[in-house]
Every structure is written in C-alpha cells, then in structure tokens.
Amino acid sequence: MSVVPEQPDAPMTRRGHLKLLDGFRLEIGDDGVHLADSAQRLLAYLAIQGPSPRTVVAGTLWGEVSEERALASLRTTVWRINQLVPGLVTGEHRQLALATFISTDVTEFAHRVTDRSTDSGSRSQALPNLRIRELLPGWYEDWVVFERDRLRQLHLHALEAAATAMCTGGEYAAALDAALAAVRGDPLRESARRAVILVHLAEGNLVEAHREYQRFRTLLVGELGVEPSGRLTTLVTERNGDRQRGAPAPTVPVPLFDHLGGGEYNSVVQGQYGPQDPLPPADFGGDLPAPGFRLRGMQTPP
C-alpha cells in the first residue's frame, strides 16, 4: 500500500475522488492510494449503496463467515483505510459512509445523464462523456452486477436521447455517432437501431435505413427467433424515396413473364412491400398467364 502523506489523526485537507468506471482507483489530491482487495470492496460498496448499516455491510462483503467474524473483519478494514486516509470512512448511528470530501465518478455520471434535459449547449459537445464504460470490470458480486446494469441502461438511454436531440437540430454526423454507440452497447436493442434508422431517414438515406433494418432483423431472428416490432417495420416500409409517409406507392409496368415463343407478358406491380416479402404484391389485370409461359427463368407447368 502507498500511504498518503497525512498524519493518521490529522484532518483531511485535500479533496479525493473515487473512480469505479473502467476499474477501481482512489485519488487523494494528485496522489493515488493503493488498497487491499477488502478495502477496495468496502469503499466501492459504500460509493454504490450509500450509507449502510454495519451488519448489512459485513454480511454482504463477508457473507461466507459468521456474523461475529464478519463484523471483526469489517472493523479491521475500516481501521486500515482510515490509517491511510484519515476520516475516509465514517461511522455514525451504527452506519458506515464515505467522507464528504470524496466524490465518485458513478454519482457524477448518473447526475450528468439525468440532468441533460437542462443542458442548453450543443449536444454533440457532451457526447464523448457518454461513451459506454463498464463498472468495475471483473467484479461479479450481485450488488456490482445490478449497479453495472443500471449504469449501462443510463448510458444507452443517454446516447439515444442525445442522438434524437442532435438529429432534430440537424447535427446528423454527431447524432449517428451517438446512435451507433448505443447499438455497440447492445446490438439487440431495438430503440438503439431505431435511433440509427431515424438519422438515415432524416438525411434522406433510404437505402442506409433499409440496410440497418435488415442487419437488425437478421440478428434478431438468428439470436432470438423473433421479428422486429411492427412499429419499426412500418417506419422503414412506409418510407419510399421522397414520398410522404402514407402516400400511395407509384404504379409502374414491370415485365414479369416471358412467352416461350417470344414476347413478354406485361403486368403492373403496385402497392408497397416490406423486406420480409419474397415478392411484391401484384395485380395481374385478370387471370394468370396460360401454361407455357415462363416467370422470369421459371417455366410454368404445362
């Protein structure tokens, strides 16, 4: 352990910062403090859970031993921490808490993403702070896993909200960057894919929107055996070029059948179809062609 140059009984005069995203690190002023694993887990638990009863902390961190031994281990760990950084762990009314001179990146991040609605500046300027970061990688205690998932959801919602706001403001490149970061964070998350598709549609890139939809649909069917929601499918299939949503699809003559003796059987393809349909719905203007016609490379039975 590296000792912070403060006397054990002297009041702490420097601010400290506890980092839990992308790994554990405690800094007091400009100095890093190296702690034993038990001390790291105690500080991380108090940073995540807030002030907690001694018995709960001991039972959570030393659950494999008796309550008496767990409380003894807790007392020893608190004493060692406070020898290194005086007053870092406080105890009042049978509760333990981090000192007020310690800030944490977890709390700061949670406040930042929940207070973004009050931000009047450019959304793209804050985008780097929204990159997906993992809480305490390699730690698998239940209280860590639950908080990790909560922060991950905050990350994803913040990225999607930023993408939507920047897209509305015409910052398409930054909006797409944020939306794709959300997709990287959870490739099966439909709201993240929707954010990407909306940026492509806002820019008029219909082909890109269809490609993104197809990538998502292929992944979703392959992984879970389910289709994208009807809402997402409608968003893509109701956009056709520069047509307004809900407008009738253009009707164009398309040669569908070749007669074996030469010439074509012309029909009219009309209406709109989704990427999941093998062929567009067609109006053949009457009965199907008689036997002996060929459907673009496939002969009908005689």
Side-chain angles (χ1 to χ4, degrees), residues 71-173:
L71 288 170
S73 297
L74 176 60
R75 286 192 297 270
T76 301
T77 302
V78 171
W79 180 83
R80 289 175 175 171
I81 290 174
N82 285 338
Q83 286 293 109
L84 285 172
V85 184
L88 178 55
V89 178
T90 64
E92 295 182 359
H93 308 295
R94 298 185 179 181
Q95 284 198 329
L96 295 178
L98 286 180
T100 56
F101 62 80
I102 294 292
S103 60
T104 68
D105 59 353
V106 169
T107 301
E108 291 173 352
F109 171 78
H111 288 164
R112 184 167 62 249
V113 298
T114 54
D115 293 343
R116 284 180 64 82
S117 58
T118 62
D119 179 23
S120 58
S122 173
R123 310 290 293 211
S124 59
Q125 293 178 357
L127 183 58
N129 294 328
L130 295 176
R131 293 304 185 188
I132 301 293
R133 300 172 67 190
E134 184 178 358
L135 174 71
L136 296 171
W139 294 33
Y140 301 107
E141 291 87 342
D142 290 344
W143 53 274
V144 176
V145 173
F146 180 85
E147 184 68 8
R148 182 182 297 148
D149 188 61
R150 185 183 78 90
L151 292 177
R152 173 176 160 276
Q153 291 295 328
L154 285 177
H155 273 95
L156 295 173
H157 278 94
L159 287 167
E160 292 166 1
T164 299
M166 289 184 291
C167 183
T168 301
E171 300 178 71
Y172 298 126

Side-chain angles (χ1 to χ4, degrees), residues 184-200:
R184 285 193 298 270
D186 187 351
L188 294 175
R189 185 180 175 92
E190 181 166 312
S191 56
R193 299 283 183 165
R194 179 181 175 85
V196 173
I197 290 172
L198 284 173
V199 176
H200 288 316

